[in-house]
Amino acid sequence: MEDQGRPSSGRRVLAQAKSSSSPLRDKLDFQFRFGVPLEQLPCLYLGDCGYVPAFLEDAGKVIKKNIDCEGLFRKSGDLRRQNVLKSQVEQGCSLSECDVHDVTSLVKFFFRLLPEPLVPCLFHDPLLACLNITHHDRRVEAVQGLCFSLPAHHLSSLRYFMRLLAHVAAMSVVNRMTARNLAVVLTPSLIRMKSRSKLMTEEELRALPRQTALVEHLICHAATIGVMTSRMFHGSLRLLEDMSSKLKAKKKKKNAEAQRKILEKQLESEKLLLFFIADLGFRPNSCHSVPDTQVMSVPNARISFVPRKKQRSPSNCTRSCGQSLSNTCKNKKYVKSFL
């Protein structure tokens, strides 16, 4: 698979595995190491997948070349050769002449050492919940939609590797590795708990059957990983429209709330003004009998907040009103402007 493309900014593209003296490989900032995140590995751009680790693409060539070999990913190969091969791969050597079982064991080792599993821990529970959907098409679409939300490097690597496994499973008559068998041997490497212990915990053992079913589902529907259907596209548009309308309604509600608070402050000021007027004795009934000129003819009038002697307080001026008057001396200017 020799697809080429221009690398985006911030990403490194590695040419297909050649000799270690390749000038392009020598100029790369990222050097292949086991146990580093996918985004920090030298990558190839494959037109139908995206950016895929060069090591994974090189291993895929060897696997496809020996696809009729029995027990792919199940047989472990020679441990001594694998230890030598690890150091050679980190030095930039190609896998083209290596034993296929050593290569498949190295691929499993590569996935086990990733700081974040190929299927990130955050997506484990949602993906497993999708398997509970009884309707087949909706189950496939739910898993497909969640895979579309994976980080870019994880999505492209998952799509490439699942398609490779689907190709291996298609030759199960020869190599004896069905999708189920591949899922059984690869699930501990692809879907991993946060535990770093070599032995599986009880929680991991309980979750293993459902995780295996998830990997089997991904192998059987590898062609749908990273693909958005028209239904998903229009559903995403409706979701964006709903989110936009909710944000607009929230903003409108926030503006209405602010306007309501302003009106409440204005009403409170008017209430305080009425309290002052009531304390001064200007009742609505008596205001008609006093000419406006008589009220306005008092120059430099001072307002006293002390109740007048021998004068009943208005029926609507309660103790609570009187208590509020003492806290509103700063509002004298409102009364003066009113008078």
Side-chain angles (χ1 to χ4, degrees):
M1 193 178 296
E2 299 188 359
D3 299 319
Q4 296 180 352
R6 293 188 302 175
S8 61
S9 59
R11 296 183 179 179
R12 301 289 184 263
V13 178
L14 183 65
Q16 296 183 3
K18 298 181 181 178
S19 63
S20 59
S21 60
S22 171
L24 180 60
R25 177 171 291 191
D26 292 341
K27 291 181 180 179
L28 289 174
D29 294 337
F30 291 145
Q31 186 176 1
F32 179 81
R33 288 288 183 270
F34 289 100
V36 300
L38 289 173
E39 57 270 17
Q40 297 179 15
L41 293 173
C43 295
L44 287 168
Y45 181 79
L46 305 180
D48 54 349
C49 293
Y51 286 93
V52 177
F55 162 77
L56 195 59
E57 196 270 348
D58 195 14
K61 288 182 178 179
V62 178
I63 294 170
K64 290 177 181 179
K65 184 179 179 180
N66 300 275
I67 200 168
D68 57 347
C69 186
E70 184 177 345
L72 290 175
F73 291 101
R74 179 171 55 82
K75 295 183 178 181
S76 44
D78 187 83
L79 185 59
R80 184 178 300 177
R81 287 200 308 264
Q82 293 170 21
N83 291 331
V84 175
L85 188 58
K86 290 175 189 175
S87 59
Q88 290 178 349
V89 169
E90 290 185 339
Q91 292 173 6
C93 295
S94 174
L95 298 172
S96 57
E97 302 300 327
C98 298
D99 181 77
V100 65
H101 295 302
D102 293 338
V103 172
T104 54
S105 298
L106 209 60
V107 169
K108 291 190 289 185
F109 179 76
F110 165 75
F111 284 124
R112 280 198 305 270
L113 286 190
L114 287 177
E116 185 71 24
L118 182 61
V119 180
C121 298
L122 182 64
F123 291 83
H124 289 180
D125 291 339
L127 285 170
L128 292 175
C130 291
L131 298 181
N132 296 329
I133 301 175
T134 56
H135 194 278
H136 177 267
D137 293 341
R138 293 181 181 177
R139 181 170 63 252
V140 173
E141 189 171 309
V143 175
Q144 183 180 357
L146 276 176
C147 289
F148 209 81
S149 303
L150 291 172
H153 286 83
H154 288 257
L155 176 60
S156 56
S157 300
L158 180 67
R159 175 174 170 81
Y160 175 81
F161 192 57
M162 290 299 114
R163 292 178 66 184
L164 175 63
L165 294 181
H167 189 42
V168 173
M171 300 292 293
S172 60
V173 177
V174 181
N175 55 39
R176 306 295 182 185
M177 295 302 293
T178 63
R180 178 67 180 178
N181 294 339
L182 290 169
V184 168
V185 297
L186 287 168
T187 295
S189 302
L190 302 180
I191 302 181
R192 198 178 62 246
M193 297 286 189
K194 293 183 179 180
S195 175
R196 289 292 182 180
S197 61
K198 293 183 179 179
L199 297 178
M200 298 183 69
T201 63
E202 293 184 2
E203 183 182 359
E204 291 174 336
L205 287 173
R206 287 195 300 268
L208 187 58
R210 289 181 54 77
Q211 293 174 351
T212 303
L214 174 60
V215 174
E216 183 181 3
H217 174 95
L218 293 174
I219 296 173
C220 295
H221 301 89
T224 65
I225 298 175
V227 177
M228 178 175 284
T229 63
S230 59
R231 180 177 174 179
M232 290 171 59
F233 177 74
H234 292 299
S236 301
L237 288 181
R238 287 195 299 270
L239 182 61
L240 290 174
E241 291 175 357
D242 292 343
M243 291 175 64
S244 177
S245 61
K246 286 180 180 178
L247 288 175
K248 289 180 180 179
K250 188 175 181 180
K251 186 176 181 181
K252 186 177 180 180
K253 183 178 179 181
K254 186 177 180 180
N255 294 337
E257 184 70 16
Q259 188 67 22
R260 184 183 65 81
K261 290 182 179 179
I262 294 174
L263 292 175
E264 285 181 352
K265 289 182 179 180
Q266 292 177 353
L267 290 173
E268 186 66 23
S269 300
E270 292 177 3
K271 288 180 181 178
L272 293 174
L273 185 59
L274 291 175
F275 293 154
F276 294 145
I277 295 172
D279 185 62
L280 292 170
F282 293 102
R283 297 187 181 89
N285 294 333
S286 61
C287 286
H288 296 291
S289 60
V290 180
D292 294 339
T293 55
Q294 189 173 351
V295 177
M296 300 299 294
S297 62
V298 183
N300 301 324
R302 291 184 178 181
I303 300 174
S304 175
F305 296 96
V306 181
R308 298 181 182 181
K309 296 181 180 181
K310 299 180 182 180
Q311 183 177 3
R312 294 181 179 180
S313 60
S315 58
N316 62 346
C317 187
T318 61
R319 182 181 178 184
S320 60
C321 299
Q323 290 175 351
S324 63
L325 292 177
S326 61
N327 298 326
T328 54
C329 296
K330 58 184 179 180
N331 292 318
K332 292 180 182 180
K333 56 183 181 180
Y334 294 116
V335 180
K336 289 182 180 179
S337 62
F338 182 84
L339 298 176

